[in-house]
Amino acid sequence: MDANGRPYAHQYPNGSQITAYPQNIAGWPQQPGEQYVGPMVVIPQYAPTPDSYMMAQYQQQAAAYQPPMQHMSPQVSQHIPQQRSVHPPQQRHRVQFQDDLPAKQVYSPAQHQLYKQVQHYQQPDQQYYRQPPQPYIPQYDGPSMQPPTRPQQRTAPSSRPSSSHSRPPPSQTQPEVERQSPAQPRIPQTSVPPKPIVTPDLPVDYRLLLLHLSEQYVTEARSLSASIALHQHDRDQERYYELMAMGMRCLEAVLKHKSWSVAMPPRQNAMLQLRYATLLFEEIENGQELGELLSKGVTFCDRNRLIDLKYSMQHLCTRFLFKTNTKAAITYLDSALKDATAYQHVAWVFAFRFLRVSLRTQLSTQHDLQAALSDLKVLADLSRQRQEKALAVLTAILTAMIHLRTRDPEAVTSAQTALATARAQQLDNDVNKVPQLQTLILLIDLACSLSPYNPGISKEKMTTMQAYLDATAPMSNWSRDGCLSVPILHPGSESIVMESGGIFTRDETGEYLQFTWLAKADVYSVGYLLSALQFMPKAHERDSKAEQFLEGALAITGDGYEMSGTCSTDSLSQAFSRVRHCKLLRCHVLFQLVLAKCARFDWHAAVEVLEKVMATLETPGLAPPDDLLRFAVYLKGAIYQSLGQFPTALVCYQHKLLTLVPTNTSPTKFYTSPAHEFLAVLSALNTALIISRPSHPNHNDFPILLERLERQLPAQSESSNTTLSAIHPSLAAALGLLQALRASPFSLSSNSSTQSPAPNPSHTDKGILPTKHHLQRSIHLAATGHNNHLLSVLMTLISAFFFRGQIGDQALNSANGARTMAKNAGMRVWQAIAGEMLATRFEGEQRWEEAERTWKEVASLGMRMPEGLWQ
């Protein structure tokens, strides 16, 4: 219609003319400004005005018109035409030509949008209102060509938009008269409350809503994980499980909805499956559901050629299988690695190889460690071929770490060779982007210098390590949560690392392979610990730096969250794992502090620290490794032995955790770790030393126990390079000391352990040569291992055995040298024993003043020793 409200007429070139009329003649505006009700129809004609017959016909059609409803049943929806002519806003009042009758109805854009909403949200189980809502009637404000806009919300008559042509609002005393809608078809009644209406201005996508709710529930639950892991409050834990269950149910509902899963793009569907599988892996111990989900997910990704998501699910499936069946996990990983190698997906070849190395090292057997070294060799060759220098450095570092865990006597040399390979690439720009790599090199290099101990070299390496840690403290590219991101320059294709479930990350500089490592605070704690070990041989000094470094390590070792500064975004299992790691690291530091207290003969402080260690190891849910428990039991026995409580010490040394390998059993099959074997042998050596005195009730077991130790620690000429005696020469030196006690023709007097030995009538003079041989061999091995404590004991026994009852400068020099060595090593017991021998020999030469002064020193040492030890 034109600006005057008349029908709009259009003349075509052939002479025909059409006129546009409103369909609902009864709703034609009777007054200026009244709004038009019905839709526009197109009337084909050949005259300037319609005749009365055509007007009557279209009046019947207008009376039969029903506006579309927001909620309608399938019976009502079948009366609505399937196709409607929709015009853009700028063509709303334009007419169209139609040659045949009847004319097709043309709806306004607002009505058509409402009809689309009804068709989109209508479901088979849709509930309906008993009375449909009144259709919205747009306000007509004049001859504008733009369609009227609908207000977002109409809550009160006063909130309606006002205009110069609209009706005045009703008064407050007069009720508002609602416009009567045309007759509506009868709608089936139901007792179920209706669902909310979805308006065009505020559409609701329930799929996106559920996904958003799932992320919110998971995020809120994981904000409680740190508090639960630290304090273990039952209320917080129940809240965590409730929120996590809600989040997983929302995600599960999206995945299991048939229409949503079918309409969803394959990549988005696979990403949701991977997300749901990751939550199951981290939060729930339901292996059957997770296994089925990953199996279907891998098949789905393979069918839709989603390579990155397929490999991500295989990576997750391998970690899941490793919890229950290690062999099945390795086999499944080999299959995935074979496919990645065949298709030359280099990035995933690196990821699967490093995962294989990680799984092998967790098993900790010698066979698995050798297999891990083989995988690292393949990784080194691949890194060299692909010019991946950062990955090559990481491969060399891991090789050095695994070499130190093997029983090879050349392990330290092999580790240093691997570190030299890593240092050759440390000036590369990609390597400098990762400061953790250089830190690892310095820490492992310092550990290599501590075994065997070399004071000069280890001190220099310690200074270099401390300087680098201080320099990298303010660096921002060092992640505080312990994540190690190694750049990979040539992944093979960008599409294969697009979505990897956190295995790869991408930024503007490139792709990175993610590793889980120590947090920054934990790295500093390890640095303090290694620095303390460097000063441990001088721990008996008053101002020992060993205890200072250990106290610094304890101060910086936190709970995994407060000291590291990381936010609580981990799952509950990850939070427990992080807190457990920090507690175990703290136990290692406390163990060294116990040894430092014992070196200063501060037995009460050593017992207090050991009680703290035992309380930490007994924390519910901690599940400490057996090696830590063995070390705690051994330290307890060593303290009781130092206090002279030998029966209690024997009970600790003969604990089931410290049992020596049976006679007819292979040590490699009996011992679970190198630390297990080392502590078991060390406990047996101390037991043999206690029962070696003829007056001991269990002295008859001394020869039997010594034979078992000789099979465990064969001589260097009779053993291979992988035996414990070749790796730890101090153990072989201690065994030689016991062998010298057995072969010696002398025995210590039963009156006092500090008196000169008396001849043993059961031996002849032929026992002197074997005794001398064993002592010489032990001195050589102790010097090789830089064991000053054992050297002072051996020198005291040599002076007691071979200079008994003699006078002269040689005998005096022997006793004086043994006393000086024991004093430098901080061995008060053996210093007192050597001092007593020296005083006796001074008396033999009638040097009474020197003898008296020496006896006073011995008495002073005896007053500072435990009562049970100095009898």
Side-chain angles (χ1 to χ4, degrees), residues 721-741:
N721 292 333
T722 59
T723 57
L724 193 63
S725 59
I727 300 173
H728 301 284
S730 296
L731 296 180
L735 177 62
L737 187 150
L738 295 175
Q739 290 173 338
L741 291 178

Side-chain angles (χ1 to χ4, degrees), residues 636-652:
K636 187 177 180 180
I639 292 176
Y640 281 123
Q641 183 180 1
S642 301
L643 294 174
Q645 302 179 16
F646 300 112
T648 309
L650 286 177
V651 172
C652 296

Side-chain angles (χ1 to χ4, degrees), residues 468-483:
Y468 185 80
L469 287 179
D470 293 338
T472 56
M475 295 181 65
S476 60
N477 56 346
W478 187 325
S479 176
R480 300 181 66 90
D481 60 353
C483 184

Side-chain angles (χ1 to χ4, degrees), residues 671-835:
Y671 297 119
T672 58
S673 64
H676 182 193
E677 182 180 7
F678 178 81
L679 292 174
V681 172
L682 196 58
S683 300
L685 289 172
N686 283 279
T687 302
L689 183 62
I690 292 175
I691 66 176
S692 62
R693 298 179 60 182
S695 60
H696 197 275
N698 298 330
H699 179 71
N700 295 332
D701 297 334
F702 175 69
I704 301 175
L705 181 58
L706 200 58
E707 291 178 0
R708 294 178 60 185
L709 286 171
E710 288 174 350
R711 287 193 299 267
Q712 184 75 29
L713 298 171
Q716 186 71 21
S717 59
E718 302 173 0
S719 63
S720 61
N721 292 333
T722 59
T723 57
L724 193 63
S725 59
I727 300 173
H728 301 284
S730 296
L731 296 180
L735 177 62
L737 187 150
L738 295 175
Q739 290 173 338
L741 291 178
R742 181 186 58 182
S744 174
F746 308 101
S747 62
L748 296 177
S749 175
S750 59
N751 296 329
S752 175
S753 61
T754 61
Q755 294 180 0
S756 299
N760 191 344
S762 61
H763 293 76
T764 60
D765 294 340
K766 295 182 180 180
I768 297 179
L769 294 179
T771 302
K772 184 178 180 180
H773 171 74
H774 291 309
L775 290 176
Q776 288 179 347
R777 176 173 172 270
S778 296
I779 289 176
H780 174 71
L781 292 173
T784 303
H786 299 275
N787 195 332
N788 295 328
H789 295 78
L790 191 55
L791 280 174
S792 63
V793 175
L794 291 171
M795 293 301 297
T796 304
L797 289 179
I798 289 176
S799 178
F801 285 161
F802 299 105
F803 294 95
R804 171 186 170 273
Q806 297 184 10
I807 58 175
D809 294 339
Q810 190 173 4
L812 291 175
N813 292 336
S814 175
N816 190 24
R819 187 185 67 165
T820 302
M821 187 171 292
K823 183 178 181 180
N824 294 335
M827 304 287 291
R828 294 182 182 177
V829 176
W830 296 98
Q831 181 183 354
I833 294 174

Side-chain angles (χ1 to χ4, degrees), residues 653-669:
Y653 290 144
Q654 295 174 0
H655 195 274
K656 61 180 181 180
L657 291 174
L658 301 175
T659 304
L660 200 63
V661 59
T663 305
N664 299 325
T665 306
S666 174
T668 56
K669 296 181 179 180

Side-chain angles (χ1 to χ4, degrees), residues 445-446 448-450 452-464 530 533-535:
D445 193 18
L446 178 57
C448 291
S449 65
L450 296 176
Y453 177 69
N454 193 330
I457 298 178
S458 61
K459 186 175 182 180
E460 180 181 357
K461 293 181 178 180
M462 180 199 68
T463 305
T464 305
L530 293 177
L533 293 177
Q534 198 274 333
F535 290 102

